[in-house]
Amino acid sequence: MKILAVDDDPEVLEILGAFLAHAGYEDVATAHSAAEALALVEQAREPFECFLLDIQMPGMTGTELMKRLRSMPQYSEVPVLKLTAMSDQENLSKSFAGGALDYIVKPFEFFEVETRLHAAELRLATLRN
């Protein structure tokens, strides 16, 4: 599964990248901002199959980025997992209303992320059939 993880915290991206590689996810790209993520999406030879998005980022939030991704036909149904420190009901509701498949609160447990990525893979398989 081709994954794009977007977070403005380089430490989170480093930890997440190492964990994803250990869990067997080898096709992972990272971006430190929504603008960088959009550039990677535009340059991608093959579309991304899953997004891990932080909410609070300077410039464009993860929620705004998800809206932009959802407006692209090839990403209208791709699984999006929000990975954020925001645990309030408003952000949770906005995320699901905007099309997020799941919502993971930092600090996260690796088992939790892996389990939710498996759910994203199942969703992706359903979309392909």
Side-chain angles (χ1 to χ4, degrees):
M1 180 164 63
K2 185 174 181 178
I3 299 171
L4 176 57
V6 186
D7 197 306
D8 62 323
D9 185 337
E11 190 173 302
V12 169
L13 287 179
E14 183 179 330
I15 291 167
L16 196 55
F19 162 72
L20 292 172
H22 178 72
Y25 295 99
E26 297 176 6
D27 196 357
V28 178
T30 59
H32 295 92
S33 69
E36 186 180 345
L38 289 170
L40 288 172
V41 164
E42 289 176 14
Q43 297 167 4
R45 290 179 188 222
E46 296 293 323
F48 288 97
E49 298 170 301
C50 183
F51 294 97
L52 300 173
L53 306 180
D54 185 21
I55 290 179
Q56 286 187 297
M57 295 185 292
M60 182 188 304
T61 68
T63 301
E64 293 166 332
L65 174 58
M66 184 172 64
K67 185 176 181 179
R68 294 272 302 269
L69 292 168
R70 290 288 184 232
S71 72
M72 300 174 189
Q74 69 272 34
Y75 295 116
S76 65
E77 298 291 328
V78 170
V80 174
L81 287 71
K82 293 291 190 78
L83 187 62
T84 180
M86 308 294 292
S87 61
D88 61 282
Q89 189 63 43
E90 181 180 352
N91 277 299
L92 182 69
S93 297
K94 282 183 181 179
S95 293
F96 285 118
L101 175 66
D102 217 330
Y103 195 96
I104 304 167
V105 178
K106 297 175 193 172
F108 50 85
E109 295 291 329
F110 292 127
F111 174 77
E112 180 182 16
V113 175
E114 185 175 18
T115 300
R116 294 178 188 215
L117 281 171
H118 287 305
E121 287 177 301
L122 290 172
R123 169 78 174 141
L124 198 55
T126 300
L127 290 172
R128 289 180 176 157
N129 291 332

